[in-house]
């Protein structure tokens, strides 16, 4: 249909025309729209307390103690279950968060501005691997690290970014793809590039050598440090693509550990949800599939812009890490995702695939017609609260979300 | 119309197979050292005729 094709051309124009820049780190209370005290933003489509999975409830209890709204985890669980805490989806507040995706007032938020359209998107700073809040960790070690990020790392990064005028992310991603990252489960190269870009400005703006050293060491030791930057970038790119009449391009994919949800440009901010699936992958020593929680997090925003599972061909190493098969299989994932996307990104290319651009603009019509569901590279959380990450794997977006979206878009267009 | 002679020739000669759809057939042939190329194909819209009709009108 002409109206859909024209709408999708506009959607792709906005996606490819975006100029995302990491400009600042600011406490959430100062910058995240409509975020209030005793309010917790979480990953995925909206969900009530009773339907939340174990890690999500564990993280909520932990962040409630971290914010000082409860004295201990037991009190926090009671408050959360009795309605004393308000919950909402990150996506409703220009924000995203990995795995459980906790966003609350005192957390420092990475700020990515889309210079083309002027909109901003936010994500908290990555905590590292293992026992961390995004995987449901909530003990003293987790909360102490969050306090250090709030008091030391966040302010140091904010000062540096303001001093240096920000970090342009489009060329950084292009370089990272050529260095073997797919920006979801492998961010080794991009994390290093961010460190290189920001280190001098952090040194210049620091007045405490010990804190500076700790901050630089933290970034250096965290291979996934760049993930949260990529996520805020993805949100900043995709938000201007919302609400184009007739467009069948996906603007968000997200999971809360119970439901998988997508949004589509031509159907506005409506969520199309289905039960989330279990990742298939590899487990850390001592853990098995029986320990795993279903798929979770806003991090699928990176697949929505053509990275992660869509850019698997750039990252043969990640195919092994997530249990997706041989390195030679990585390119096949990218080829399959090309079949469900409107175009390729000429600025984000994969050298080993003859500079093929990453598949860009997931079209719900193509997903349903072909039966090919988006491939997502993901971390795997333990199903019980408080334990953390137990593996990494690959998961498919549920086809039912895309079928609902096609029917709703058809209805809006008067097609029956 | 194929003649009995054509069938005899097909079954009597060396097979090279393109398998469309279910991969189990391709796997079975490969296990018996028959050259086979598998094409991963599913009916449009998972075989749902109403959804397929909508998609057709929507330009896929």
């Amino acid at each position: 249909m002409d109206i859909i094709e024209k709408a999708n051309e506009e959607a792709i124009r906005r996606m490819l025309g975006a100029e995302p820049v990491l400009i600042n780190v600011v406490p959430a209370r100062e910058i995240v729209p409509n975020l209030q005290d005793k309010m917790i933003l979480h990953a995925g489509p909206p969900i009530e307390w009773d339907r939340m999975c174990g890690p999500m409830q564990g993280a909520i209890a932990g962040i409630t103690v971290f914010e000082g709204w409860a004295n201990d985890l037991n009190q926090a669980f009671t408050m959360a279950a009795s309605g004393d805490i308000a919950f909402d989806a990150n996506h409703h507040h220009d924000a995203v968060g990995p795995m459980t995706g906790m966003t609350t007032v005192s957390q420092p938020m990475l700020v990515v501005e889309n210079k083309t359209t002027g909109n901003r998107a936010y994500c908290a700073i990555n905590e590292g691997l293992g026992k961390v809040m995004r995987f449901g960790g909530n003990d003293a070690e987790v909360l102490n690290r969050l306090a250090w990020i709030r008091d030391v790392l966040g302010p140091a990064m904010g000062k540096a970014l303001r001093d240096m005028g920000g970090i342009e992310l489009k060329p950084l991603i292009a370089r990272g793809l050529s260095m073997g990252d797919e920006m979801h489960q492998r961010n080794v190269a991009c994390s290093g590039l961010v460190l290189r870009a920001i280190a001098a400005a952090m040194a210049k703006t620091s007045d405490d050598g010990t804190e500076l050293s700790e901050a630089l060491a933290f970034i250096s030791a965290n291979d996934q440090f760049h993930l949260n930057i990529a996520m805020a970038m993805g949100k900043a790119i995709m938000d201007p693509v919302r609400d184009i009449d007739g467009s069948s391009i996906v603007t968000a994919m997200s999971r809360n550990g119970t439901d998988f949800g997508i949004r589509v440009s031509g159907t506005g901010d409506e969520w199309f949800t289905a039960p989330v699936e279990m990742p298939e992958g590899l487990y850390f020593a001592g853990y098995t599939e029986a320990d795993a929680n279903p798929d979770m997090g806003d991090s699928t925003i990176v697949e929505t812009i053509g990275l992660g599972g869509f850019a698997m061909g750039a990252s043969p190493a990640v195919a092994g890490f997530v249990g997706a098969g041989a390195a030679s299989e990585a390119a096949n994932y990218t080829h399959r995702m090309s079949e469900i996307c409107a175009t390729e990104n000429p600025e984000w290319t994969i050298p080993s695939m003859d500079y093929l651009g990453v598949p860009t603009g997931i079209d719900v019509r193509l997903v349903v017609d072909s039966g090919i569901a988006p491939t997502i590279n993901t971390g795997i959380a333990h199903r019980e609260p408080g334990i953390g990450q137990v593996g990494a794997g690959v998961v498919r977006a549920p086809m039912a979300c895309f079928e609902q979206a096609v029917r709703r878009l058809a209805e809006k267009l008067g097609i029956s | 119309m194929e003649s009995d002679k054509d069938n005899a020739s097909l079954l009597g000669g060396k097979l090279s197979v393109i398998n469309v759809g279910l991969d189990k057939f391709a796997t079975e042939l490969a296990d018996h050292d028959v050259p086979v190329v598998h094409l991963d194909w599913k009916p449009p819209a998972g075989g749902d005729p109403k959804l397929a009709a909508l998609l057709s009108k929507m330009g896929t």
Side-chain angles (χ1 to χ4, degrees):
Chain A
M1 277 188 88
D2 203 36
I3 184 174
I4 299 178
E5 301 309 328
K6 284 187 174 165
N8 286 353
E9 281 175 22
E10 174 60 18
I12 295 301
R13 189 188 69 77
R14 294 185 195 180
M15 284 181 75
L16 298 182
E19 293 292 345
V21 180
L22 176 63
I23 60 167
N24 207 348
V25 175
V26 182
R29 68 160 52 83
E30 296 176 20
I31 201 156
V32 175
N34 303 314
L35 179 64
Q36 297 157 13
D37 215 33
K38 291 195 178 176
M39 182 179 198
I40 297 173
L41 309 184
H42 59 76
I47 185 171
E48 60 273 20
W49 172 260
D50 290 344
R51 293 187 65 246
M52 288 179 187
C53 64
M56 183 72 83
Q57 291 189 341
I60 281 173
I63 205 74
T64 299
V65 173
F66 174 75
E67 289 290 354
W69 302 330
N71 293 322
D72 55 41
L73 293 175
N74 286 336
Q75 186 187 4
F77 277 113
T78 303
M79 287 177 69
S82 62
D84 289 343
I85 306 286
F87 303 120
D88 200 5
N90 279 311
H91 268 286
H92 296 178
H93 297 258
D94 300 345
V96 281
M99 298 305 288
T100 58
M102 298 290 99
T103 304
T104 49
V105 285
S106 69
Q107 289 186 78
M109 304 297 283
L110 300 156
V111 182
V112 173
E113 182 171 299
N114 183 340
K115 295 289 183 184
T116 306
T117 43
N119 64 295
R120 293 179 176 183
Y122 314 104
C123 187
I125 293 173
N126 192 283
E127 309 161 77
L129 289 173
K131 192 163 64 173
V132 288
M133 182 156 287
R134 72 177 184 280
F135 287 99
N138 57 17
D139 66 10
E141 175 190 338
V142 174
L143 300 190
N144 288 340
R145 187 188 304 112
L146 280 181
W148 177 81
I149 290 173
R150 176 193 63 200
D151 298 334
V152 177
L153 181 61
M157 286 185 66
K159 271 199 288 188
L161 287 166
R162 292 190 295 274
D163 181 78
M164 67 189 288
I167 299 173
E168 290 187 20
L169 296 174
K170 228 170 171 177
L172 188 136
I173 296 290
R175 201 159 183 206
L177 284 168
S178 74
M179 297 167 75
D181 279 1
E182 41 72 86
M183 292 89 192
H184 197 161
Q185 284 304 304
R186 191 176 196 272
N187 279 280
V188 180
C190 283
S191 297
L193 292 173
V194 168
L195 181 65
R196 274 173 48 161
I198 201 171
M202 284 178 70
K204 178 185 168 191
T205 55
S206 172
D207 51 14
D208 186 318
T210 302
E211 288 187 351
L212 171 66
S213 173
E214 289 171 356
L216 294 175
F218 181 85
I219 299 172
S220 303
N222 183 359
D223 287 349
Q224 283 289 77
F225 187 78
H226 175 263
L227 170 63
N228 297 32
I229 298 170
M231 289 175 60
M233 174 190 71
K235 179 74 172 158
I237 290 172
M238 292 313 303
D239 270 355
V241 185
R242 289 152 60 192
D243 288 322
I244 302 173
D245 280 344
S247 174
S248 55
I249 298 297
V250 173
T251 56
M253 299 194 290
S254 185
R255 330 72 108 195
N256 55 35
T258 303
D259 304 315
F260 192 110
I262 68 166
R263 285 167 146 182
V264 175
S265 180
T267 55
D269 288 342
E270 187 174 350
W271 288 100
F272 303 101
T273 64
V276 76
E277 298 190 2
M278 289 294 292
E280 290 181 13
L282 299 177
Y283 290 86
F284 300 160
Y287 297 105
T288 70
E289 201 173 312
D291 300 307
N293 194 73
D295 189 29
M296 185 166 58
D298 290 327
S299 52
T300 24
I301 195 71
V302 303
E303 272 81 8
T304 313
I305 57 170
L307 302 174
F310 286 53
M312 191 95 86
S315 187
V318 96
F321 177 63
V322 299
S328 57
E329 179 67 14
N332 291 337
Y333 279 89
T334 294
H335 283 307
R336 270 197 290 278
M337 294 304 99
S338 293
E339 292 187 41
I340 58 171
C341 287
T343 191
E344 294 154 5
N345 188 327
E347 292 182 279
W348 288 349
T349 62
I350 301 174
S352 62
M353 296 180 72
D354 295 333
Y355 293 96
L356 179 75
V358 297
T360 300
I362 304 167
D363 186 334
V364 289
R365 298 175 305 167
L366 298 177
V367 173
V368 176
D369 190 52
S370 66
I372 299 172
T375 294
I376 295 150
N377 294 346
T378 187
I380 304 174
H382 198 286
R383 62 171 61 248
E384 293 171 12
I387 295 177
Q389 183 174 7
V390 296
V394 172
V395 69
R396 302 271 176 194
M399 189 58 66
C401 300
F402 299 87
E403 292 172 351
Q404 290 170 45
V406 164
R407 289 193 179 95
R408 180 77 179 108
L409 184 61
E411 183 186 341
K412 285 196 76 172
L413 292 169
I415 300 169
S416 59
Chain B
M1 287 286 286
E2 288 179 349
S3 67
D4 289 344
K5 188 180 170 187
D6 291 334
N7 286 337
S9 169
L10 176 66
L11 296 174
K14 189 178 177 187
L15 289 178
S16 294
V17 179
I18 298 172
N19 182 66
V20 180
L22 294 175
D23 61 0
K24 185 167 174 52
F25 296 112
T27 309
E28 291 284 336
L29 289 167
D31 286 347
H32 289 84
D33 296 325
V34 175
V36 57
V37 172
H38 175 63
L39 175 65
D40 187 8
W41 180 87
K42 294 173 187 168
D48 181 333
K50 286 185 180 173
L51 202 51
L54 274 184
L55 286 168
S56 178
K57 292 175 185 172
M58 294 169 80
T60 59

